[in-house]
Amino acid sequence: MAPIRLGMVGGGKDAFIGGVHRIAARIDGEFALVAGALSSTPERSRDSGQALGLAPERCYGSYDEMAEAEAARPDGIQAVSIVTPNHMHAGPAIAFLKRGIHVICDKPLTATMEQAEELADAIRASEALFILTHNYTGYPMVRQARDMVAAGELGALRVVQVEYPQDWLADAAETTGTNKQAEWRTDPARAGAGGSIGDIGSHAHNLACFVSGLKVESLAADLHSFVPGRKLDDNAHILLRFGGGVRGMLWSSQVATGNENALRLRIYGEKGGLEWAQEDPNYLWFTPFGQPKRLLTRAGSGASDAANAVSRIPGGHPEGYLEGFANIYTGAAAAIRAVEAGATPDLSLLPGLDAGLDGMRFIAAAIRSSQADAAWVTL
Amino acid sequence: MAPIRLGMVGGGKDAFIGGVHRIAARIDGEFALVAGALSSTPERSRDSGQALGLAPERCYGSYDEMAEAEAARPDGIQAVSIVTPNHMHAGPAIAFLKRGIHVICDKPLTATMEQAEELADAIRASEALFILTHNYTGYPMVRQARDMVAAGELGALRVVQVEYPQDWLADAAETTGTNKQAEWRTDPARAGAGGSIGDIGSHAHNLACFVSGLKVESLAADLHSFVPGRKLDDNAHILLRFGGGVRGMLWSSQVATGNENALRLRIYGEKGGLEWAQEDPNYLWFTPFGQPKRLLTRAGSGASDAANAVSRIPGGHPEGYLEGFANIYTGAAAAIRAVEAGATPDLSLLPGLDAGLDGMRFIAAAIRSSQADAAWVTL
Amino acid sequence: MAPIRLGMVGGGKDAFIGGVHRIAARIDGEFALVAGALSSTPERSRDSGQALGLAPERCYGSYDEMAEAEAARPDGIQAVSIVTPNHMHAGPAIAFLKRGIHVICDKPLTATMEQAEELADAIRASEALFILTHNYTGYPMVRQARDMVAAGELGALRVVQVEYPQDWLADAAETTGTNKQAEWRTDPARAGAGGSIGDIGSHAHNLACFVSGLKVESLAADLHSFVPGRKLDDNAHILLRFGGGVRGMLWSSQVATGNENALRLRIYGEKGGLEWAQEDPNYLWFTPFGQPKRLLTRAGSGASDAANAVSRIPGGHPEGYLEGFANIYTGAAAAIRAVEAGATPDLSLLPGLDAGLDGMRFIAAAIRSSQADAAWVTL
Amino acid sequence: MAPIRLGMVGGGKDAFIGGVHRIAARIDGEFALVAGALSSTPERSRDSGQALGLAPERCYGSYDEMAEAEAARPDGIQAVSIVTPNHMHAGPAIAFLKRGIHVICDKPLTATMEQAEELADAIRASEALFILTHNYTGYPMVRQARDMVAAGELGALRVVQVEYPQDWLADAAETTGTNKQAEWRTDPARAGAGGSIGDIGSHAHNLACFVSGLKVESLAADLHSFVPGRKLDDNAHILLRFGGGVRGMLWSSQVATGNENALRLRIYGEKGGLEWAQEDPNYLWFTPFGQPKRLLTRAGSGASDAANAVSRIPGGHPEGYLEGFANIYTGAAAAIRAVEAGATPDLSLLPGLDAGLDGMRFIAAAIRSSQADAAWVTL
């Protein structure tokens, strides 16, 4: 099958996540990048595009221009990846959705709740798909964990512990003038009102909900900025209450020295417990109550259909972050092909508007709670 | 040097912690057990005592009888270990302290705040020592962690994450009629008002304070009993604020299936981070900011004087829980010998009344906060 | 830059390694698969090709046909991947090399020494490149290990321990009729005279030599087939003597239950030691003598230029087997582009004929030694 | 029960293993140290003895004097621990055995085969027990591994991989004048003809045999001294053939930088595999073929009777090296008490003369093989 024609907004030089999206789109051969508005100025956009092998006439100076031009081409893009800072999600997404072009958008949904609502309207009004790259849900063993919970292997859930510590902002990296990632991710104008809570806490929240199948009903959050001068939180401590009486904790931090990208989920029910760590993603620890702990491995003898469906290679041959990310893209491709064939796409495992709004509400609630000195806030 | 003559209150058959205290007292040859009021009835006390090789006349039917008789003997006990359930700490401790016999007491201090205050008065009034077996502070790498923090190797502290999950109470073990440990530890009359928070949360709190050198100033706690019919909390989620603007989280659980005794401390400062896990106690992970993680090992090339002072054997020969516990006993022996020689004992590393009261206040505050739906409570 | 036009021999349905090569070729966008002789019959080749989106006329029934046709096209393939069983390496490789088409070939070089020599002649006679996918050398932390050794960070080397245990052939999987991988890899006619030693021992040997910078001078091997009826060794125990007085051991096994793909290298010198495990490839353990062990992580603060040069994403975002494999492909692409531009390609890190011949000699020596009851054999 | 009266030969200041024996004897309260010939001169022996609280008249200047005097006392020692360098095992052992005093002796049996045979005669002629402290067999999870093998949980065995790397002799520690341990363990006159092979290889050999229930039938060994001037091997690479067609490898090293005391056993059979590492001794990995790996923990839900019989405390409370060592002593105590009660002692799990002779034959064979350039030698 011919690859889906893909455009990209953002992802020029100095960007991190744009390159990730491009590889993820490419791994399974489902997409071909053919157009881009990669940077905020036409010249840089063209430079970046040419480095990626795009035709010069499809390197656009703005997303609006791109949306219009591509929509008019018979071989125009079928889908677009939006990989800009958070405040630049809604604008391009709406522009492409309006024209029936499917959108694959980096998380969180937007920088503000207002933008989120505007985008939500556009998504609801469009026949095109909107996929949010909560990429950690693409890991095979995360899929397996979700299935095991859903199948009742843990019994009724009780406790969900999720954490996402990093250390790359342990000093004032945003003031050095050399770290663009640090700059926009600590800037309220571009990132929104959440610092660690928006950047990584939202991933942790999404992962906990994805695996548990639950929603956070209320939370009490203690957010803090440890690095002097930083405008957004770089550490968040949150008490969680999920539906069904399940309780949990969420910790996100950008100042926990010794942690690179240590997203970790632990989930306990009446009959068993599961533990998963993003840095060692091919392993899933499962303990049925009263039995020894078992090490389930991707594509290994304990792997489930849900995991195997998104595995490419045998057990012991580690798949990583890019493969997990690619599973979102390949899932999106299947959904896009279904829509284009007039069929109903299977969106059950693909994060979209609902996950995005849940994330925005979670971030907003955490900030509101923290401003009220960790008072409970209902989502 | 002749071993210190030791008595024991509690620790008869079916007890867990009594046997631990006896081994800990014995490992370094510093104590000899010579008397006991080991059970609540004279006959069972005598049975247990004889099984341990005690002279029949020194197997007492009650701690009062024992205190009186031993105080009167020229070869009477110099110290006593109190290893009864929490509600039976204050009574015997006071009885022995009054007679100038040093007390080594299991934690938490008492079952109630009232008992704690009564005991505190007795401790302050006595010339004998009072040592509380917060045994996890005896691990060599915990000592090293404390020293590294004190020496500024982490810089100004920021975040303290401590957790203590277990799973042995994931079902209603207290109702089977065969698990005495489960029975008293879930019984408010014997354990006090704290369940997981009193039994293990207090260890976690103590460890965090011991290593950080900080006190908890306020907390917001969400305690819960997941097992139907259980009277005390079996899971506690707590937000912590320490002195100096340091923030943290504490999680204790007895229902986290797959965790045996997974006490774990992580502590982060401006300049570095430390991570330690009780189940693998010979390792301490240290990451100076911007450098690779280092695995410091007990008695290894990165071990400090503080760790080496309480190590017995070379690196790679694992020491465990009993050795860590023994370090409290051997520290107590040194202090007792100093007192008996008229010198000033070094109590800097030995948990005593202050740690005990801090623990009681912590437990009480957590319960009060939880009753107020996780409102902040100042300690 | 336009992707390099790639063909593939082998890699139809039921093949494992063909799919791996295709993803590896695609990850960095350096190759586009445009032609194939994917199966041994024209029909199946066409079916497989169409499933991969190849133009029907470029799905060939044989490699000869493909070599001739593609060489004649103005847009013919520039390079070909050979992913057939071992006995089918030499034939196609020679056919393409003759026509100046670059060859990327799965390892080991060939099934027999005779084939190896014939192929060697063709490689030497061709101006096209020949790359052997000893993919484990593509892992960033393996590159770093090699660099650290070369830079003298371990001092003079002493001991090299390498092992590659698996368990997928612990029972007679080749007799079930459903496991094509097991069938050809245990069949002397297709795999050659080496079983585990050829399939995975050759990887272990290559890795040890790549990192140490040394060659095996002599070996004493004890090969054995544990599964009744198996024609090739499924376990190999080998004593190694490298140049410079370095000694080592190599263990390969397909019957070591509990091991999926547990290639592991440990290397020790006067000044330090390194340890790396394929299943957790983003970590490299380094211990300078007399100092604590350090955990070096891919793209982390201890990562070297050599590692960073082949890393795509930040530390803590695990890269895996496919990314390591892709590093061979992307390295091959750079070399191919250099050749096509008339420049001298940098082949210093790319396994080719030399590594292939070393591997063949190693396999042959191991078999000869084992036949002589583990007598020393000089390579 | 009254503790068994114990004497000790060796174990004065600067000794490592003497202190270990004393703690091991004390942990379960089964022995009381009452006499000693702790050093090679009477004065130092007395000094060391008094530091340990021995009565001055029971601090002897030589083992002969001690044997004679203690045998004559009504309260004389019932057992003696011999913790001298290897060349000083046979002499004292014979002296005490002759007088009916039970002997607990450090391994290996002796420094030379001649001494071993002389000692064997004395053991066979005595009614006293002879226990060899192959302490690693005392670990609970090692006992469990042995039981699981014996119970057929692995099926017919195939492969045994055992290794014991250390790094404490990676430089010429024996020449500094400050490391007595290094001095005698690298001195053929005191250690015997084996360096690493005698000191730690013998432990590895013993462990492999203990768990597998097999004997080594032949071996091919490549021994080497890497540190210039060293007289004994500091690295040994050995191919093993056990009874029943089982094959294996043994690696011992004192120059493998980054390894403290990394004894590790892996054992694979038709139906499953087991892996155990001394530095993390509370864990035993078990993989039944075709199922996920299971983490069996000491005193955990997968622990067997054999493990529980030698465990003191609950799972998750790590026991270590001293506890494992104590299990040998406590087993010895039970045997001694049985003998003294006229009953038949259970020696099935206690290493004694047979294990000692097997060890000596193993060391001798390894040296002979290595001298013949790794020729096969039958044991």
Side-chain angles (χ1 to χ4, degrees):
Chain A
M1 246 174 310
I4 294 168
R5 298 181 301 277
L6 182 70
M8 180 167 279
V9 178
K13 284 164 194 170
D14 294 324
F16 148 56
I17 205 68
V20 166
H21 279 253
R22 287 192 292 269
I23 297 175
R26 203 155 52 208
I27 281 183
D28 293 325
E30 294 285 348
F31 292 89
L33 184 70
V34 295
L38 301 166
S39 289
S40 41
T41 71
E43 302 75 44
R44 295 182 52 223
S45 184
R46 206 145 302 151
D47 281 1
S48 294
Q50 284 184 293
L52 294 171
L54 300 186
E57 73 276 13
R58 297 180 85 174
C59 300
Y60 300 94
S62 76
Y63 66 81
D64 267 329
E65 186 192 337
M66 173 172 161
E68 199 175 321
E70 289 291 324
R73 290 176 72 111
D75 65 347
I77 57 171
Q78 299 162 274
V80 68
S81 295
I82 299 176
V83 297
T84 43
N86 307 345
H87 71 306
M88 288 292 294
H89 288 179
I94 294 168
F96 289 95
L97 287 167
K98 262 191 210 163
R99 291 169 172 94
I101 294 171
H102 307 291
V103 170
I104 299 168
C105 182
D106 207 56
K107 48 57 58 189
L109 193 61
T110 54
T112 68
M113 211 60 196
E114 294 65 39
Q115 293 166 4
E117 276 152 25
E118 200 188 350
L119 175 52
D121 289 341
I123 294 170
R124 292 186 190 113
S126 173
E127 291 188 0
L129 294 169
F130 179 83
I131 314 291
L132 198 68
T133 52
H134 268 302
N135 59 291
Y136 297 113
T137 65
Y139 274 116
M141 301 318 280
V142 168
R143 297 280 177 98
Q144 173 154 355
R146 175 186 166 96
D147 252 33
M148 290 175 72
V149 170
E153 295 197 43
L154 303 201
L157 297 187
R158 288 170 167 172
V159 176
V160 174
Q161 302 289 112
V162 66
E163 63 184 39
Y164 199 151
Q166 299 181 328
D167 68 4
W168 70 295
L169 292 176
D171 62 9
E174 66 268 40
T175 64
T176 60
T178 61
N179 192 329
K180 298 216 167 186
Q181 289 296 316
E183 286 169 28
W184 81 256
R185 288 178 200 264
T186 60
D187 175 5
R190 285 177 280 175
S196 81
I197 193 67
D199 192 24
I200 53 177
S202 59
H203 269 308
H205 164 260
N206 175 261
L207 180 68
C209 295
F210 181 82
V211 173
S212 69
L214 298 172
K215 296 218 174 194
V216 172
E217 297 193 340
S218 60
L219 59 76
D222 193 20
L223 274 52
H224 195 67
S225 293
F226 282 103
V227 172
R230 183 160 292 160
K231 292 180 193 130
L232 295 177
D233 71 273
D234 50 26
N235 192 84
H237 284 151
I238 308 184
L239 304 177
L240 302 172
R241 290 187 182 155
F242 294 85
V246 174
R247 306 210 175 184
M249 287 177 124
L250 185 151
W251 172 46
S252 66
S253 185
Q254 295 162 327
V255 299
T257 294
N259 291 281
E260 293 183 333
N261 198 45
L263 173 60
R264 184 181 177 215
L265 176 68
R266 296 175 288 179
I267 185 163
Y268 303 103
E270 287 183 5
K271 292 169 50 182
L274 285 174
E275 304 179 358
W276 180 81
Q278 188 274 149
E279 295 188 348
D280 301 295
N282 295 279
Y283 304 120
L284 176 66
W285 293 93
F286 172 47
T287 313
F289 181 60
Q291 296 183 33
K293 193 168 279 211
R294 298 175 194 168
L295 179 57
L296 309 180
T297 56
R298 193 193 52 73
S301 45
S304 71
D305 291 349
N308 290 335
V310 288
S311 283
R312 291 163 187 79
I313 47 176
H317 299 72
E319 295 194 23
Y321 176 91
L322 293 168
E323 289 86 345
F325 214 114
N327 289 334
I328 304 295
Y329 264 87
T330 299
I336 290 169
R337 291 192 199 279
V339 167
E340 306 216 331
T344 305
D346 176 5
L347 300 173
S348 60
L349 291 170
L350 279 177
L353 176 61
D354 287 349
L357 289 175
D358 283 350
M360 293 304 291
R361 286 182 203 117
F362 168 76
I363 296 169
I367 292 167
R368 208 156 72 241
S369 169
S370 191
Q371 285 166 346
D373 201 21
W376 286 103
V377 168
T378 303
L379 273 81
Chain B
M1 246 173 312
I4 294 168
R5 296 180 303 279
L6 183 71
M8 181 167 278
V9 178
K13 285 165 193 167
D14 294 325
F16 148 56
I17 204 68
V20 166
H21 279 254
R22 287 192 292 270
I23 297 175
R26 204 155 53 208
I27 281 182
D28 293 325
E30 293 286 349
F31 292 89
L33 183 70
V34 295
L38 300 165
S39 289
S40 41
T41 72
E43 303 75 44
R44 294 183 52 222
S45 185
R46 206 145 301 148
D47 282 1
S48 294
Q50 284 185 294
L52 294 172
L54 300 186
E57 73 277 12
R58 298 179 86 174
C59 299
Y60 300 95
S62 76
Y63 67 81
D64 267 328
E65 189 192 335
M66 174 171 160
E68 199 174 320
E70 289 292 324
R73 292 177 69 112
D75 65 345
I77 58 171
Q78 298 162 274
V80 67
S81 295
I82 298 177
V83 297
T84 43
N86 306 346
H87 71 306
M88 288 292 294
H89 288 180
I94 294 169
F96 288 94
L97 287 167
K98 264 193 208 160
R99 292 170 171 93
I101 294 171
H102 306 292
V103 170
I104 299 167
C105 183
D106 207 57
K107 50 56 56 190
L109 194 61
T110 54
T112 68
M113 212 60 198
E114 294 67 38
Q115 294 166 5
E117 275 153 25
E118 202 188 347
L119 174 53
D121 290 342
I123 294 170
R124 294 188 188 110
S126 173
E127 292 187 0
L129 294 168
F130 179 84
I131 313 292
L132 197 68
T133 51
H134 267 304
N135 59 291
Y136 297 113
T137 65
Y139 273 115
M141 300 319 279
V142 168
R143 296 280 177 96
Q144 173 154 353
R146 175 187 165 95
D147 253 33
M148 290 176 72
V149 170
E153 294 197 45
L154 304 200
L157 297 187
R158 289 170 167 173
V159 176
V160 175
Q161 302 289 112
V162 65
E163 63 183 40
Y164 199 151
Q166 298 181 326
D167 67 3
W168 69 295
L169 293 177
D171 61 9
E174 66 268 40
T175 63
T176 60
T178 61
N179 192 328
K180 298 217 168 184
Q181 288 297 316
E183 286 170 28
W184 83 254
R185 287 179 200 264
T186 60
D187 175 7
R190 287 178 279 177
S196 82
I197 192 67
D199 192 25
I200 54 177
S202 59
H203 270 308
H205 165 260
N206 175 262
L207 180 69
C209 295
F210 181 82
V211 172
S212 69
L214 298 172
K215 297 216 176 195
V216 172
E217 297 192 339
S218 59
L219 58 77
D222 192 22
L223 276 52
H224 195 67
S225 294
F226 282 103
V227 173
R230 182 160 291 159
K231 291 179 194 133
L232 296 176
D233 72 272
D234 50 26
N235 192 83
H237 285 151
I238 308 183
L239 303 177
L240 301 172
R241 290 188 183 154
F242 294 85
V246 174
R247 307 211 172 182
M249 286 178 125
L250 186 150
W251 172 45
S252 65
S253 185
Q254 295 161 327
V255 299
T257 293
N259 291 280
E260 292 183 333
N261 198 45
L263 174 61
R264 184 178 176 216
L265 177 67
R266 296 176 286 179
I267 185 163
Y268 304 102
E270 285 183 6
K271 293 170 48 184
L274 284 174
E275 304 179 358
W276 180 82
Q278 189 274 151
E279 295 189 348
D280 300 294
N282 294 279
Y283 305 119
L284 177 65
W285 293 93
F286 172 47
T287 312
F289 181 60
Q291 294 184 33
K293 193 167 280 211
R294 299 175 193 170
L295 178 58
L296 309 179
T297 57
R298 193 194 50 75
S301 46
S304 71
D305 291 349
N308 290 335
V310 287
S311 283
R312 291 162 187 80
I313 47 176
H317 299 71
E319 295 195 22
Y321 176 91
L322 293 168
E323 289 85 346
F325 214 113
N327 288 335
I328 304 295
Y329 264 87
T330 299
I336 290 169
R337 292 192 199 280
V339 167
E340 305 217 332
T344 303
D346 176 5
L347 300 173
S348 61
L349 290 171
L350 279 176
L353 176 61
D354 287 350
L357 288 175
D358 283 350
M360 293 303 292
R361 285 181 203 118
F362 168 76
I363 297 169
I367 293 167
R368 208 157 71 243
S369 169
S370 190
Q371 285 166 347
D373 202 21
W376 286 103
V377 169
T378 303
L379 274 82
Chain C
M1 244 171 314
I4 294 167
R5 297 180 302 279
L6 183 71
M8 180 166 280
V9 178
K13 284 165 194 168
D14 295 324
F16 149 57
I17 205 67
V20 167
H21 279 254
R22 286 192 293 268
I23 297 175
R26 205 155 51 208
I27 281 183
D28 293 325
E30 293 285 348
F31 292 89
L33 184 70
V34 296
L38 300 165
S39 290
S40 41
T41 71
E43 301 76 42
R44 294 182 52 222
S45 185
R46 206 145 302 149
D47 281 0
S48 294
Q50 284 184 294
L52 294 171
L54 300 186
E57 74 275 14
R58 297 178 86 174
C59 299
Y60 299 95
S62 76
Y63 67 81
D64 266 329
E65 187 192 337
M66 173 171 162
E68 198 173 322
E70 289 291 323
R73 291 176 72 111
D75 65 346
I77 59 172
Q78 298 163 275
V80 67
S81 294
I82 298 176
V83 298
T84 42
N86 307 345
H87 70 304
M88 287 292 293
H89 289 179
I94 294 169
F96 288 95
L97 287 167
K98 263 192 208 163
R99 292 170 172 92
I101 294 170
H102 306 290
V103 170
I104 299 168
C105 183
D106 207 59
K107 49 57 56 190
L109 195 61
T110 54
T112 68
M113 211 61 195
E114 293 67 37
Q115 294 166 4
E117 275 153 25
E118 200 188 349
L119 174 53
D121 289 342
I123 293 169
R124 292 186 190 112
S126 173
E127 291 188 0
L129 294 169
F130 179 85
I131 314 291
L132 197 67
T133 51
H134 268 303
N135 59 291
Y136 297 113
T137 65
Y139 273 116
M141 301 318 281
V142 168
R143 296 280 176 96
Q144 173 154 353
R146 175 186 165 98
D147 253 32
M148 290 176 71
V149 170
E153 295 196 44
L154 304 200
L157 297 186
R158 289 169 167 173
V159 175
V160 175
Q161 302 289 112
V162 65
E163 62 185 39
Y164 199 152
Q166 298 180 327
D167 67 5
W168 69 295
L169 292 177
D171 62 9
E174 66 267 40
T175 64
T176 61
T178 62
N179 192 328
K180 299 218 165 183
Q181 289 296 316
E183 286 170 28
W184 82 255
R185 287 180 201 266
T186 60
D187 174 6
R190 286 179 279 176
S196 82
I197 192 66
D199 191 25
I200 54 177
S202 59
H203 270 307
H205 164 260
N206 175 261
L207 180 69
C209 294
F210 181 81
V211 172
S212 70
L214 299 172
K215 296 216 176 196
V216 173
E217 297 191 340
S218 59
L219 59 77
D222 193 22
L223 276 50
H224 195 68
S225 294
F226 283 103
V227 173
R230 183 160 291 160
K231 291 179 193 132
L232 295 177
D233 72 271
D234 51 26
N235 191 83
H237 285 150
I238 308 183
L239 303 176
L240 302 172
R241 291 187 183 154
F242 294 85
V246 174
R247 307 211 174 183
M249 288 178 123
L250 185 151
W251 173 44
S252 65
S253 186
Q254 295 161 327
V255 298
T257 294
N259 291 280
E260 292 184 333
N261 198 45
L263 174 61
R264 184 178 176 217
L265 176 68
R266 295 176 288 179
I267 184 162
Y268 304 103
E270 287 183 4
K271 293 169 50 182
L274 284 174
E275 304 179 358
W276 180 81
Q278 190 273 151
E279 295 189 347
D280 301 294
N282 294 279
Y283 304 120
L284 176 66
W285 293 93
F286 172 47
T287 312
F289 181 60
Q291 296 184 33
K293 192 167 282 212
R294 297 175 195 170
L295 179 57
L296 309 179
T297 57
R298 192 193 52 74
S301 47
S304 71
D305 291 349
N308 291 335
V310 287
S311 284
R312 290 162 189 80
I313 47 176
H317 300 70
E319 295 194 22
Y321 176 90
L322 293 169
E323 289 86 344
F325 213 113
N327 289 334
I328 303 296
Y329 263 87
T330 300
I336 289 169
R337 291 191 199 280
V339 167
E340 305 216 334
T344 306
D346 176 4
L347 300 173
S348 60
L349 291 170
L350 279 177
L353 176 62
D354 287 350
L357 289 174
D358 283 351
M360 293 304 291
R361 286 181 202 118
F362 167 76
I363 297 169
I367 293 167
R368 208 156 73 242
S369 169
S370 190
Q371 286 166 347
D373 202 22
W376 287 103
V377 168
T378 303
L379 273 82
Chain D
M1 247 173 311
I4 294 168
R5 298 181 300 278
L6 182 70
M8 181 167 279
V9 178
K13 285 164 194 168
D14 294 324
F16 149 55
I17 205 68
V20 167
H21 279 253
R22 287 192 292 269
I23 297 175
R26 206 155 51 208
I27 281 184
D28 293 326
E30 294 285 348
F31 293 89
L33 184 70
V34 296
L38 301 165
S39 289
S40 43
T41 72
E43 302 75 43
R44 296 183 51 221
S45 184
R46 207 145 300 150
D47 282 1
S48 293
Q50 285 185 293
L52 294 172
L54 301 186
E57 72 275 13
R58 298 179 85 174
C59 299
Y60 301 95
S62 76
Y63 68 79
D64 267 329
E65 187 191 337
M66 173 171 162
E68 198 173 324
E70 289 291 324
R73 290 177 71 111
D75 65 347
I77 58 171
Q78 299 163 274
V80 67
S81 295
I82 299 176
V83 298
T84 43
N86 307 345
H87 71 304
M88 287 293 292
H89 288 179
I94 294 169
F96 288 96
L97 287 167
K98 262 193 208 161
R99 291 168 172 95
I101 293 171
H102 306 291
V103 170
I104 299 168
C105 183
D106 207 58
K107 51 55 56 189
L109 195 62
T110 55
T112 67
M113 211 61 197
E114 294 66 39
Q115 294 165 5
E117 275 153 22
E118 201 188 348
L119 174 53
D121 290 342
I123 293 169
R124 292 186 190 113
S126 173
E127 291 188 359
L129 294 169
F130 178 85
I131 313 292
L132 198 68
T133 51
H134 267 303
N135 58 291
Y136 297 113
T137 65
Y139 274 115
M141 300 319 281
V142 168
R143 296 281 176 96
Q144 173 154 354
R146 175 187 166 96
D147 253 33
M148 289 175 71
V149 170
E153 295 197 44
L154 303 201
L157 297 186
R158 289 169 168 174
V159 175
V160 175
Q161 301 290 112
V162 65
E163 61 184 40
Y164 199 151
Q166 299 181 326
D167 67 5
W168 71 295
L169 293 176
D171 63 7
E174 67 268 40
T175 63
T176 61
T178 62
N179 191 329
K180 297 218 167 185
Q181 289 297 316
E183 286 170 28
W184 82 255
R185 288 179 200 264
T186 60
D187 175 6
R190 286 178 281 177
S196 82
I197 192 68
D199 192 24
I200 53 177
S202 59
H203 270 308
H205 165 260
N206 175 262
L207 180 69
C209 295
F210 181 82
V211 172
S212 69
L214 298 172
K215 297 216 175 196
V216 172
E217 296 192 341
S218 59
L219 60 75
D222 193 22
L223 276 51
H224 196 67
S225 294
F226 282 102
V227 172
R230 183 159 292 160
K231 292 180 193 131
L232 295 176
D233 70 272
D234 50 26
N235 191 83
H237 284 152
I238 309 184
L239 303 176
L240 301 173
R241 291 186 182 155
F242 294 85
V246 174
R247 308 212 172 181
M249 287 179 124
L250 185 150
W251 173 44
S252 65
S253 184
Q254 295 161 326
V255 300
T257 293
N259 291 281
E260 292 184 333
N261 198 45
L263 174 60
R264 183 179 177 218
L265 177 67
R266 295 176 287 178
I267 184 163
Y268 304 102
E270 287 182 4
K271 292 169 49 183
L274 283 174
E275 305 181 357
W276 180 82
Q278 190 275 150
E279 295 189 348
D280 301 295
N282 295 279
Y283 304 120
L284 177 66
W285 294 94
F286 172 47
T287 311
F289 180 61
Q291 295 183 32
K293 194 168 280 211
R294 298 174 194 170
L295 178 58
L296 309 179
T297 56
R298 192 194 52 73
S301 47
S304 70
D305 291 349
N308 290 334
V310 289
S311 283
R312 291 161 188 80
I313 47 176
H317 300 71
E319 295 194 22
Y321 177 90
L322 293 169
E323 290 85 345
F325 214 114
N327 288 335
I328 304 295
Y329 263 87
T330 299
I336 290 170
R337 291 192 199 279
V339 167
E340 303 216 333
T344 305
D346 176 4
L347 299 173
S348 60
L349 291 171
L350 280 177
L353 176 60
D354 287 350
L357 288 175
D358 282 350
M360 293 304 291
R361 285 181 203 119
F362 167 76
I363 297 169
I367 293 167
R368 208 155 71 243
S369 169
S370 189
Q371 286 166 346
D373 201 21
W376 287 102
V377 168
T378 303
L379 273 82

